[in-house]
Amino acid sequence: MAAELNEAPKMKATLGLTGVTVNAMALIAPGAFLWITFVQQAGYAFPSGMAMWAGIFVALLLAYATAVSYSELAKLYPGAGSSYLFAEQAFLNTTSAYRFARIAKFVIGWASHLYYWVYPGVMVATMGIMIGYIFGNIAPGSINAAVPGPVFMALVAVIFAFAVAWIAFQGVNGSTMVNVAINGIQIIALLFFSALAIAYRLSHPAGAAGLALDANGNSVSAVLSYGMNAATPSHANALSVILPHQFSWVMLQATIAILLLVGFESVTALGEESKNPKRDIPRGVLLSLTIQGLFCYLIEYFAANYFMSSAYSLAAAKGSAAPIGDMMTLVGNALLGGHGQAFMLVEALTVFLALIGTTLSCINTGARVTYAMGRDEEVPEHFGLLHGKNLTPHRAIWTLAIISAVLGAYAALFYFAGGSAPDDKTIASLPHNIWYAIGLGSNASLAAMPNGLLVVTLTSNFGTFLLYGLTNIVCIVAFREHESFHGFKHVVIPVFGAVANFACLAFYIIGPIEGLGSVKEPLLAVAIAVIWGVYGAVYFVRNSKKRGKDTILVAKPA
């Protein structure tokens, strides 16, 4: 440690516009999220999944408003730390609000950890679920594809967490090259699937013979119908896909959909590694969201929702470990000469790569925010050290790996709890081996428990909404007295962004009160956030006393 302190290594500026953009694109990864969140969107407050596309569109508007705030702040304050840095500088550069600069930056930094430290847990759990689904298709005697073994999925999650942390430990340049390749591959692959899904729907009108999946995952013939009904809800036409249907459905979907879009802000943590941060980082924020969110996601989610029918409806999607994988199998069998499983496996490989990219990008970003706080002694100072050779915040990276492994294992072990609980007949038919030793019981016991992946997802999303809402407020503070103040960019847009983010937070409480969906997961996510906030407040006060720091500044620092 003494050697590291004496060397005082610094990060190197090596990233151009392409580098910062693809690092953000990797975190938004459409290939990964179309696969992993469709089942949550289909099952959360069923049948609110009928408003899935509209929910994503609302989340996209919210994300754009917040992205503009991040882009504007990055022009003023380039450097490592993202919102944490922005909050401190914004308040310090005011006439009177500077007194609250330290409180503001700590609140922002602490809130960002609820997002950056929980989000990778969602990703590693999803990798476990996806590998379980694939392994079940290859070796059905050992693992059921529709209900993969929870122990198997948890083990994969733990291994994946440490493997990605090792890549992050090597440095951001290696991460960037990995992300360039992954982004190109996944965009091409998912757009190809989207084209096939739309072609399948157009060539299979109501009354035509199509394909469905039987209990063993095999394709069987079925007569297709379309429309909203209780048993097999699907969209009657293309317009139905994009309609909101019900306001409450849209808002509920938006609380999940934000998971798809987060990450555009991640490049603002790479200010010290960017060659021209004031120019490239603001552009990278907006470019990444436009390419992945506005272009890729809206096309892919339209195609997947348009594909659904009575043969594979919203109900079937919420009961599968990988509904997008099921859809790929069906369209592949119908349009690619019966090679549905092969097509699904090839596409799954691109999702596998995308999951590496998005988890890697989040760990890189989260570790750098923790590094900035450690450097300021707002969290234990060992987090503010860089590795002497790799110049990476290694202490933060490996801590994040441990947290990701624990959260990922929990989410995977209880993936089939709550609304995803299989019926007793399905449970009885599962293989009897070590992979099913934990995480399954009777349908009644599973249904009474919160869904592990949904709890972790909603907790991460709570942190996201909180961080994004507060950052919009920071943008207002930063430009209120600045010479480049612009009413629309620095008041109207951030006010909309703040209101939209906090409105989504409100639905964590409104939903359960109104009887919309499960009560357990959103309220548990709120409880976790409250506990984290209380612990942060106590830590801040104690740490301030220990280090002799003023919580409210008496004089503006030079």
Side-chain angles (χ1 to χ4, degrees):
M1 181 180 294
E4 291 175 346
L5 288 171
N6 290 332
E7 292 175 11
K10 296 181 179 180
M11 294 179 175
K12 294 182 178 180
T14 58
L15 300 177
L17 177 59
T18 300
V20 297
T21 302
V22 297
N23 272 288
M25 286 173 62
L27 192 47
I28 310 175
F33 290 107
L34 178 66
W35 183 290
I36 68 177
T37 58
F38 200 95
V39 63
Q40 295 183 71
Q41 293 165 291
Y44 185 44
F46 182 81
S48 74
M50 293 295 288
M52 198 182 294
W53 193 93
I56 293 172
F57 185 75
V58 168
L60 184 62
L61 293 178
L62 175 159
Y64 261 118
T66 308
V68 169
S69 293
Y70 270 100
S71 179
E72 291 298 302
L73 287 165
K75 294 175 184 177
L76 290 183
Y77 314 123
S82 189
S83 297
Y84 173 77
L85 170 70
F86 299 156
E88 179 184 39
Q89 294 301 314
F91 277 80
L92 284 178
N93 285 282
T94 61
T95 303
S96 57
Y98 70 86
R99 295 176 297 170
F100 306 103
R102 185 162 173 256
I103 293 176
K105 74 171 184 176
F106 182 84
V107 169
I108 286 279
W110 199 258
S112 70
H113 280 70
L114 194 61
Y115 158 28
Y116 289 123
W117 278 21
V118 177
Y119 179 98
V122 180
M123 297 299 100
V124 301
T126 302
M127 177 62 84
I129 295 164
M130 189 192 75
I131 297 299
Y133 175 81
I134 294 172
F135 193 82
N137 274 277
I138 298 173
S142 299
I143 288 181
N144 182 290
V147 187
V151 176
F152 179 86
M153 297 190 297
L155 180 61
V156 172
V158 172
I159 294 172
F160 182 59
F162 286 99
V164 174
W166 182 82
I167 299 175
F169 171 69
Q170 302 307 307
V172 74
N173 281 333
S175 301
T176 301
M177 296 306 297
V178 170
N179 288 334
V180 169
I182 288 173
N183 275 290
I185 292 170
Q186 68 172 311
I187 288 174
I188 293 171
L190 268 296
L191 289 179
F192 181 59
F193 160 70
S194 298
L196 289 181
I198 293 172
Y200 178 89
R201 173 64 184 262
L202 293 176
S203 61
H204 291 78
L211 295 178
L213 292 177
D214 64 16
N216 297 317
N218 300 315
S219 296
V220 295
S221 181
V223 177
L224 305 183
S225 64
Y226 303 96
M228 179 62 183
N229 60 72
T232 57
S234 62
H235 293 282
N237 49 50
L239 180 60
S240 175
V241 175
I242 64 175
L243 287 177
H245 294 283
Q246 294 185 24
F247 175 75
S248 61
W249 289 3
V250 175
M251 293 304 294
L252 287 168
Q253 285 296 314
T255 62
I256 294 182
I258 193 64
L259 183 75
L260 315 173
L261 301 167
V262 298
F264 56 83
E265 84 294 338
S266 61
V267 295
T268 60
L270 301 178
E272 293 184 9
E273 291 151 290
S274 173
K275 297 176 183 177
N276 192 339
K278 288 192 174 183
R279 182 196 67 186
D280 292 340
I281 287 181
R283 293 179 181 180
V285 169
L286 296 172
L287 271 175
S288 61
L289 184 59
T290 298
I291 295 170
Q292 303 291 62
L294 185 62
F295 179 65
C296 292
Y297 272 130
L298 292 187
I299 292 175
E300 293 164 8
Y301 266 88
F302 173 83
N305 277 273
Y306 192 44
F307 164 85
M308 289 191 296
S309 67
S310 58
Y312 197 89
S313 67
L314 197 67
K318 81 181 184 69
S320 171
I324 296 300
D326 293 342
M327 294 181 194
M328 290 172 175
T329 299
L330 290 171
V331 297
N333 283 335
L335 303 179
L336 298 177
H339 298 294
Q341 187 180 68
F343 174 60
M344 179 274 293
L345 291 175
V346 171
E347 291 275 353
L349 176 61
T350 70
V351 176
F352 173 82
L353 295 174
L355 280 170
I356 294 175
T358 190
T359 310
L360 177 59
S361 184
C362 189
I363 286 180
N364 275 331
T365 304
R368 280 156 179 77
V369 173
T370 307
Y371 160 74
M373 293 187 74
R375 195 170 55 180
D376 290 349
E377 298 183 337
E378 296 294 356
V379 295
E381 59 268 30
H382 64 80
F383 284 124
L385 298 175
L386 292 178
H387 188 266
K389 178 181 179 182
N390 296 337
L391 303 181
T392 52
H394 56 300
R395 302 291 179 85
I397 287 172
W398 292 117
T399 299
L400 192 46
I402 295 171
I403 293 171
S404 301
V406 171
L407 292 176
Y410 163 75
L413 284 174
F414 299 101
Y415 177 67
F416 294 108
S420 299
D423 57 44
D424 288 324
K425 182 179 179 181
T426 300
I427 294 172
S429 67
L430 296 174
H432 298 284
N433 56 38
I434 190 173
W435 306 127
Y436 292 87
I438 304 175
L440 286 173
S442 67
N443 172 267
S445 63
L446 289 172
M449 299 172 61
N451 180 281
L453 183 59
L454 188 55
V455 168
V456 178
T457 298
L458 290 178
T459 302
S460 173
N461 288 358
F462 192 100
T464 301
F465 288 128
L466 187 60
L467 174 64
Y468 284 4
L470 292 174
T471 301
N472 278 291
I473 294 174
V474 167
C475 183
I476 297 171
V477 173
F479 285 93
R480 189 169 62 89
E481 300 177 17
H482 198 271
E483 60 183 10
S484 63
F485 172 80
H486 188 284
F488 184 72
K489 289 192 296 184
H490 304 140
V491 176
V492 176
I493 291 178
V495 164
F496 169 77
V499 171
N501 277 286
F502 293 134
C504 288
L505 279 182
F507 256 77
Y508 277 69
I509 305 296
I510 294 172
I513 291 175
E514 294 296 322
L516 300 171
S518 173
V519 172
K520 299 183 291 292
E521 292 88 357
L523 293 186
L524 186 54
V526 172
I528 293 171
V530 170
I531 292 171
W532 180 248
V534 171
Y535 174 66
V538 172
Y539 177 85
F540 179 70
V541 172
R542 289 184 174 179
N543 188 52
S544 298
K545 290 181 179 180
K546 177 182 177 182
R547 300 186 183 281
K549 292 184 175 182
D550 294 325
T551 55
I552 298 178
L553 302 183
V554 177
K556 182 183 291 190

